[in-house]
Amino acid sequence: MNSIKIMVNGLPGNMAQLVIEKAMDDQRFEVTPFSLTGPEIEETSVQIKNKKIALIKPDQKDSFLSGHDTLMTSTIAVDYTHPSAVDLNCQWYCENNLHFVIGTTGGNRKRINENVQNSEICAVVAPNMGKQIVGFQAMIEYAAKTFPGLFDGYTIEIRESHQLGKADSSGTARSLVPLFQDLGLSVQEKDIFMERNPKIQHKQLGVPKSFLGGHAWHTYSLTSKDQNVSFQFTHNVNGRSIYALGTLDAVQFLHHKILEGNNAGQVYTMIDVLKGL
Amino acid sequence: MNSIKIMVNGLPGNMAQLVIEKAMDDQRFEVTPFSLTGPEIEETSVQIKNKKIALIKPDQKDSFLSGHDTLMTSTIAVDYTHPSAVDLNCQWYCENNLHFVIGTTGGNRKRINENVQNSEICAVVAPNMGKQIVGFQAMIEYAAKTFPGLFDGYTIEIRESHQLGKADSSGTARSLVPLFQDLGLSVQEKDIFMERNPKIQHKQLGVPKSFLGGHAWHTYSLTSKDQNVSFQFTHNVNGRSIYALGTLDAVQFLHHKILEGNNAGQVYTMIDVLKGL
């Protein structure tokens, strides 16, 4: 069994923890017992199932690496660290030849990409690791480019529901607005209807109680001028498992690319992952 | 105003009548006061709004044409005649240099295409004139080709509702089955759930009473293995206006192609119409 070694950074954060749990259930992967953490974290390790994972603070990174250089040459890093730490971590991966996957929206993307391009490694850098969501965005983008004005004369309503704490509107919904415009629909970012009331979310929309604190539900409703034709596209995500699973598929993709060789400086996107798996 | 002359064949049939109504409301078009009809039709004309349209029986076609040759050179035929008449009509269009649009499923498509290819005219030949439906099919096809296995591990449920008289399952739903298979979903044509009960259609689905006799509602529901992610795609069509409007857009497309010239023998599809308008 040729399992892929991954070092999941960002413990004790929720996403890092979830990626590790999914990886431990997946025989494609072997989780290394180390994780980069923040300077403010007091724990020195985190227990996940039967595995104890040591936390490495920023000032311990280099000494850690020199003690594990053989281990790390064949390891892929997964970065779910704090947005304030992302840039320095990615720079560190590049300097120390650690291929990596990063799937958050934090950090300076331009700088991260440049660091990879000037390095000996390759990486997957994506704002969203939800494979099927990214695929849906790509479908709409394809339609907008190939059939501009397809929905001329139609109206559109965009509704999304997220946990109470989320102040701005859905980034996924906003990314689709210009595409819907190209399809002939009159819509602006400000027209996105945001539901943040947990009572309405549960009783009217049907969001399960256990996911009121973490969900991303979206519905796009298109209606013809004479009201006789309606299209509706819905994608409802509860919790974060879709992103953890997508992250692991991105790791597998990167592993294949590394085995193929000749990938120094390559930055891959989630679309590459979708096409390549 | 440079309006496009169209001869809509198939009166007194519903689709021909609807296309004429929509065309009379649309300043892009001028409807010629003639329509090919079947040998069994007893009326000699049909009144639509303020326009009287003479019906031409099969054995009158040639003599009609010789009396209107100037008129017909710049006219585009739209064929919604009976499936048993479609082949002979299309052959007649080809022999008499009448560009045409045909948007039914009737006739021998291979022969129709060959007749056009060996003629001086060009035509739009499509099994479905609903532009947005065709666009949706193309979106799913794009995803299936570009991201095979995107929904690996998901389950799918396909439900459709049509008028009581429709015996077979939805052709649109069936056309998507192999594409959903390519996307990683386990589904067969026989799994398509058909609703044909008008009471359930109205009370449970919400099909308006006036459209129980003619509607095409479709819902594709995709659910992740852990039940935490769901995608749903719905397209609900009441009545036939979407097909009539798509037919007129196909006529406009063909008109543009004719003006561009150098199109002898070209058979266009609805995808061409979507891309070209």
Coordinates of all heavy atoms in Angstrom, one line a residue, chain B residues 32-72:
Chain B
T32 N -46.4 34.8 -43.4 CA -47.1 34.7 -44.8 C -48.4 34.0 -44.6 O -48.6 33.2 -43.7 CB -46.2 33.8 -45.7 OG1 -46.1 32.5 -45.2 CG2 -44.9 34.4 -46.0
P33 N -49.4 34.4 -45.4 CA -50.8 33.9 -45.1 C -51.1 32.5 -45.8 O -52.1 32.3 -46.4 CB -51.6 35.0 -45.8 CG -50.8 35.6 -46.9 CD -49.4 35.4 -46.4
F34 N -50.1 31.6 -45.7 CA -50.2 30.3 -46.2 C -49.6 29.3 -45.2 O -48.6 29.6 -44.6 CB -49.5 30.1 -47.5 CG -49.7 31.2 -48.5 CD1 -48.8 32.3 -48.6 CD2 -50.9 31.3 -49.2 CE1 -49.0 33.3 -49.5 CE2 -51.1 32.4 -50.1 CZ -50.2 33.4 -50.3
S35 N -50.2 28.1 -45.2 CA -49.6 27.1 -44.3 C -49.9 25.7 -44.9 O -51.0 25.4 -45.2 CB -50.2 27.2 -42.9 OG -49.8 26.1 -42.1
L36 N -48.8 24.8 -45.0 CA -49.1 23.5 -45.4 C -49.9 22.7 -44.4 O -49.6 22.9 -43.2 CB -47.7 22.7 -45.6 CG -46.7 23.3 -46.6 CD1 -45.5 22.4 -46.7 CD2 -47.4 23.5 -48.0
T37 N -50.8 21.9 -44.8 CA -51.6 21.1 -43.9 C -51.7 19.7 -44.4 O -51.1 19.3 -45.4 CB -53.0 21.8 -43.7 OG1 -53.6 21.2 -42.6 CG2 -53.9 21.6 -45.0
G38 N -52.5 18.9 -43.6 CA -52.6 17.4 -44.0 C -53.7 17.2 -45.0 O -54.6 18.0 -45.1
P39 N -53.7 16.0 -45.6 CA -54.7 15.7 -46.6 C -56.1 15.5 -46.0 O -57.1 15.6 -46.6 CB -54.2 14.3 -47.2 CG -53.3 13.7 -46.2 CD -52.7 14.9 -45.5
E40 N -56.1 15.2 -44.7 CA -57.4 14.9 -44.0 C -58.1 16.2 -43.5 O -59.2 16.1 -43.0 CB -57.2 13.9 -42.8 CG -56.6 14.5 -41.6 CD -55.1 14.9 -41.7 OE1 -54.5 14.7 -42.8 OE2 -54.5 15.4 -40.7
I41 N -57.4 17.3 -43.5 CA -58.0 18.6 -42.9 C -59.1 19.1 -43.9 O -58.9 19.3 -45.1 CB -56.9 19.6 -42.7 CG1 -55.8 19.1 -41.8 CG2 -57.4 20.9 -42.2 CD1 -56.2 18.7 -40.4
E42 N -60.2 19.5 -43.2 CA -61.4 19.9 -44.1 C -61.4 21.4 -44.2 O -61.8 22.0 -45.3 CB -62.7 19.4 -43.5 CG -62.8 17.9 -43.6 CD -64.1 17.3 -43.1 OE1 -64.9 18.1 -42.6 OE2 -64.3 16.1 -43.2
E43 N -60.9 22.2 -43.2 CA -60.9 23.6 -43.3 C -60.0 24.0 -44.5 O -59.0 23.4 -44.8 CB -60.4 24.3 -42.1 CG -61.1 24.0 -40.8 CD -60.4 23.0 -39.9 OE1 -60.1 21.9 -40.3 OE2 -60.0 23.4 -38.8
T44 N -60.3 25.2 -45.0 CA -59.4 25.7 -46.1 C -58.6 26.9 -45.6 O -57.7 27.3 -46.3 CB -60.2 26.2 -47.3 OG1 -61.2 27.1 -46.9 CG2 -61.0 25.0 -48.0
S45 N -58.9 27.4 -44.4 CA -58.2 28.5 -43.8 C -58.3 28.5 -42.3 O -59.2 27.9 -41.8 CB -58.6 29.8 -44.4 OG -59.9 30.2 -43.9
V46 N -57.4 29.2 -41.6 CA -57.5 29.3 -40.2 C -57.3 30.8 -39.9 O -56.5 31.5 -40.5 CB -56.3 28.5 -39.5 CG1 -56.3 28.9 -38.0 CG2 -56.5 27.0 -39.7
Q47 N -58.1 31.3 -39.0 CA -58.1 32.7 -38.6 C -57.2 32.8 -37.3 O -57.6 32.2 -36.3 CB -59.5 33.3 -38.4 CG -59.6 34.7 -38.0 CD -59.5 35.6 -39.2 OE1 -59.9 35.2 -40.3 NE2 -59.1 36.9 -39.0
I48 N -56.2 33.6 -37.3 CA -55.4 33.8 -36.1 C -55.3 35.3 -35.9 O -54.8 36.1 -36.7 CB -54.0 33.2 -36.2 CG1 -54.1 31.7 -36.4 CG2 -53.2 33.5 -34.9 CD1 -52.8 31.0 -36.5
K49 N -55.9 35.8 -34.8 CA -56.1 37.2 -34.6 C -56.7 37.8 -35.8 O -57.8 37.3 -36.3 CB -54.8 37.9 -34.2 CG -54.2 37.4 -32.9 CD -52.9 38.1 -32.5 CE -52.4 37.4 -31.2 NZ -51.1 37.9 -30.9
N50 N -56.1 38.9 -36.4 CA -56.7 39.5 -37.6 C -56.2 38.9 -38.9 O -56.4 39.6 -39.9 CB -56.5 41.0 -37.5 CG -55.0 41.3 -37.5 OD1 -54.2 40.4 -37.4 ND2 -54.7 42.6 -37.6
K51 N -55.6 37.8 -38.8 CA -55.0 37.3 -40.0 C -55.6 35.9 -40.5 O -55.8 35.0 -39.6 CB -53.5 37.0 -39.7 CG -52.6 36.9 -41.0 CD -51.2 36.9 -40.6 CE -50.3 37.0 -41.9 NZ -49.8 38.4 -42.1
K52 N -56.0 35.9 -41.7 CA -56.5 34.7 -42.3 C -55.4 33.9 -43.0 O -54.8 34.5 -43.9 CB -57.7 35.0 -43.2 CG -58.5 33.8 -43.7 CD -59.6 34.3 -44.6 CE -60.3 33.1 -45.2 NZ -61.4 33.6 -46.2
I53 N -55.2 32.7 -42.7 CA -54.1 31.9 -43.2 C -54.7 30.7 -44.0 O -55.4 29.9 -43.5 CB -53.2 31.4 -42.1 CG1 -52.6 32.6 -41.5 CG2 -52.1 30.5 -42.7 CD1 -51.6 32.3 -40.3
A54 N -54.4 30.7 -45.3 CA -54.9 29.7 -46.2 C -54.2 28.4 -46.0 O -52.9 28.4 -45.9 CB -54.8 30.1 -47.7
L55 N -54.9 27.3 -46.0 CA -54.3 25.9 -45.8 C -54.0 25.3 -47.2 O -54.9 25.3 -48.1 CB -55.2 25.0 -45.0 CG -55.5 25.6 -43.6 CD1 -56.3 24.5 -42.8 CD2 -54.2 26.0 -42.8
I56 N -52.8 24.8 -47.3 CA -52.4 24.2 -48.6 C -52.3 22.7 -48.4 O -51.4 22.2 -47.6 CB -51.1 24.8 -49.1 CG1 -51.2 26.3 -49.2 CG2 -50.7 24.2 -50.4 CD1 -49.9 27.0 -49.2
K57 N -53.1 21.9 -49.1 CA -53.0 20.4 -49.0 C -51.8 19.9 -49.8 O -51.3 20.6 -50.7 CB -54.3 19.8 -49.5 CG -55.5 20.2 -48.6 CD -56.6 19.1 -48.7 CE -57.7 19.5 -47.8 NZ -58.7 18.4 -47.7
P58 N -51.4 18.7 -49.4 CA -50.2 18.1 -50.1 C -50.2 18.2 -51.6 O -49.3 18.6 -52.3 CB -50.1 16.7 -49.6 CG -50.8 16.8 -48.2 CD -51.8 17.8 -48.3
D59 N -51.4 17.9 -52.2 CA -51.5 17.9 -53.7 C -51.6 19.3 -54.3 O -51.6 19.4 -55.5 CB -52.6 17.0 -54.1 CG -54.0 17.4 -53.6 OD1 -54.0 18.5 -52.9 OD2 -55.0 16.8 -53.8
Q60 N -51.6 20.3 -53.4 CA -51.7 21.7 -53.9 C -50.3 22.4 -53.8 O -50.2 23.5 -54.3 CB -52.7 22.5 -53.2 CG -54.2 21.9 -53.2 CD -55.1 22.5 -52.2 OE1 -54.6 23.0 -51.1 NE2 -56.4 22.6 -52.5
K61 N -49.4 21.7 -53.2 CA -48.1 22.4 -52.9 C -47.4 23.0 -54.1 O -47.0 24.1 -54.1 CB -47.1 21.4 -52.2 CG -47.4 21.2 -50.7 CD -46.2 20.4 -50.1 CE -46.0 19.0 -50.6 NZ -45.2 18.2 -49.7
D62 N -47.3 22.1 -55.1 CA -46.5 22.6 -56.3 C -47.2 23.7 -57.0 O -46.5 24.7 -57.4 CB -46.2 21.4 -57.2 CG -45.2 20.4 -56.5 OD1 -44.3 20.9 -55.7 OD2 -45.4 19.2 -56.6
S63 N -48.5 23.6 -57.2 CA -49.1 24.6 -58.0 C -49.1 25.9 -57.1 O -49.0 27.0 -57.7 CB -50.6 24.2 -58.3 OG -51.3 23.9 -57.2
F64 N -49.3 25.8 -55.8 CA -49.2 27.0 -55.0 C -47.8 27.7 -55.2 O -47.8 28.9 -55.4 CB -49.3 26.6 -53.5 CG -48.8 27.6 -52.6 CD1 -49.5 28.8 -52.3 CD2 -47.5 27.5 -52.0 CE1 -48.9 29.8 -51.5 CE2 -47.0 28.5 -51.1 CZ -47.7 29.6 -50.9
L65 N -46.8 26.9 -55.2 CA -45.4 27.5 -55.2 C -45.2 28.2 -56.5 O -44.6 29.3 -56.6 CB -44.4 26.4 -55.1 CG -43.0 26.9 -54.6 CD1 -43.1 27.5 -53.2 CD2 -42.0 25.7 -54.6
S66 N -45.7 27.6 -57.6 CA -45.4 28.3 -58.9 C -46.2 29.6 -59.0 O -45.7 30.5 -59.7 CB -45.9 27.3 -60.1 OG -47.3 27.1 -59.9
G67 N -47.2 29.8 -58.2 CA -47.9 31.1 -58.2 C -47.3 32.1 -57.3 O -47.6 33.3 -57.3
H68 N -46.3 31.6 -56.4 CA -45.8 32.5 -55.4 C -44.2 32.5 -55.4 O -43.6 32.7 -54.3 CB -46.3 32.2 -54.0 CG -47.8 32.4 -53.9 ND1 -48.7 31.5 -54.2 CD2 -48.5 33.5 -53.4 CE1 -49.9 31.9 -54.0 NE2 -49.8 33.2 -53.5
D69 N -43.6 32.2 -56.5 CA -42.2 31.9 -56.5 C -41.4 33.1 -56.0 O -40.4 33.0 -55.3 CB -41.7 31.4 -57.8 CG -42.2 32.3 -59.0 OD1 -43.0 33.2 -58.7 OD2 -41.8 32.1 -60.1
T70 N -41.8 34.3 -56.3 CA -41.0 35.5 -55.8 C -41.1 35.6 -54.3 O -40.1 35.8 -53.6 CB -41.5 36.8 -56.5 OG1 -41.8 36.5 -57.8 CG2 -40.5 37.9 -56.4
L71 N -42.4 35.5 -53.9 CA -42.6 35.6 -52.4 C -41.7 34.6 -51.7 O -41.1 34.9 -50.7 CB -44.1 35.3 -52.1 CG -44.4 35.1 -50.6 CD1 -44.5 36.4 -49.9 CD2 -45.8 34.4 -50.5
M72 N -41.7 33.3 -52.2 CA -41.1 32.3 -51.4 C -39.5 32.3 -51.4 O -38.9 31.7 -50.5 CB -41.5 30.9 -52.0 CG -43.0 30.7 -51.8 SD -43.7 31.1 -50.2 CE -43.1 29.6 -49.3

